[in-house]
Amino acid sequence: MKALVLSGGTGSRLRPITHTAAKQLVPVANKPVLFYGIESLVAAGVTDIGIIVGDTAAEIRAAVGDGSRFGARVTYLPQEQPLGLAHAVLIARDWLGDDDFVMYLGDNFVVGGITELVEEFRRSRPDAGILLTKVADPSAFGVAELGPEGGVLRLEEKPREPRSDLALVGVYLFTPAVHEAVRAVRPSARGELEITDALQWLVDAGRTVRSTVISGYWKDTGNVTDMLEVNRTVLEALPSAVLGEVDGDSELVGRVRIEAGASVVRSRIVGPAVIGAGSVVRDSYIGPSTSVADGCVISGSEVEFSIVLDDSRIENAGRIEGSLIGRMVRMSGAARAPRAHRLVLGDHSQVQIAP
């Protein structure tokens, strides 16, 4: 079995971060999202990996290399434009050959991995296997409608009126039967070759498409809110360690990891949190669910429920929360400007105003 990992796309929902970085390489708990997917595939015994790359191909290649660091063998497959998941299967046809394969979206995150899913597919070997989960807004995803006995009846991409609340998770398993399906489908109204249409073609052709509904944690990390939530989840399982320096005037509370070369001075860090190698936290508070990457300086500030990327400086900036701070950012406090309140108050009003 091979794996086809999709790492193209523009990452528009993560702009401006993705103006200068591939969305699959934005880190959670100081490790790129893409790496978690590759590690899940290797843990499932799938080590022959093809990575679909687009405009950010050079950055993906530099980060992943030949795959040996993961125990994998990586081949890069260029896609000139992101024309849909089924299109990715089309351009990978020669590399895939007649092997079964897992298709994994490189910006997706599945807690617990996919080992059981892959093992079950190998045992039963349907023509296709899909992973589903219940979501609050199915219109934002590919949606599956199941029959009374759990069989797949219909699949639709981002429907205006969803037939169910079951969304397709970005992990698919295929036999070579899918190649006929992707050749048969036509571009959707979005101008893309949809994998949901290819799956529907298999269903209509009487092929076996099996679904697995998961109740565990899954996120598409394509936007800041979901990225921060994934970061929180991963940090909760991160082992505590103090590999850097923490002075006697500082306090670490809960699950906190201080990487080698980092220093914490007169500060309080409440986990789960990680401070990257070579970073300095001085006279500051780092709150739960925060990742500070390598080479950062945080001084005289409070940061909570946030991701701070490499080589950024946050100095005397007050309180920051729920934020994604890019690489080499410079943030500092401004001089206090005069301010005034302009009011029209009725009789007997009671008003509280912060000084």
Side-chain angles (χ1 to χ4, degrees), residues 230-239 255 272-273 289:
V230 171
N231 190 61
R232 182 208 300 270
T233 299
V234 176
L235 285 175
E236 288 174 350
L238 196 70
R255 192 184 296 271
S289 306

Side-chain angles (χ1 to χ4, degrees), residues 80-211:
E80 292 185 2
Q81 294 182 353
L83 297 177
L85 304 189
H87 180 259
V89 177
L90 272 177
I91 65 174
R93 178 68 180 92
D94 290 343
W95 179 79
L96 289 167
D98 291 325
D99 292 312
D100 296 349
F101 67 97
V102 185
M103 184 164 71
Y104 197 114
L105 274 59
D107 58 354
N108 275 223
F109 191 92
V110 181
V111 171
I114 60 170
T115 299
E116 291 184 8
L117 181 71
V118 170
E119 289 176 350
E120 175 57 32
F121 183 83
R122 283 172 164 152
R123 282 193 297 267
S124 57
R125 204 166 178 266
D127 294 295
I130 58 175
L131 203 56
L132 305 173
T133 191
K134 291 187 177 183
V135 295
D137 181 17
S139 63
F141 302 93
V143 175
E145 179 185 3
L146 305 183
E149 298 181 358
V152 179
L153 299 179
R154 184 178 297 277
L155 301 109
E156 192 174 2
E157 187 66 28
K158 297 181 174 61
R160 292 184 178 179
E161 299 181 4
R163 296 171 179 265
S164 80
D165 60 354
L166 292 172
L168 285 145
V169 174
V171 180
Y172 308 81
L173 299 104
F174 294 111
T175 67
V178 73
H179 296 302
E180 184 179 2
V182 296
R183 287 196 303 269
V185 300
R186 294 293 176 265
S188 66
R190 302 193 306 161
E192 297 187 5
L193 294 177
E194 311 286 4
I195 200 64
T196 43
D197 291 342
L199 287 162
Q200 186 64 51
W201 187 93
L202 290 171
V203 171
D204 294 342
R207 301 298 186 94
T208 304
V209 179
R210 291 186 183 166
S211 65

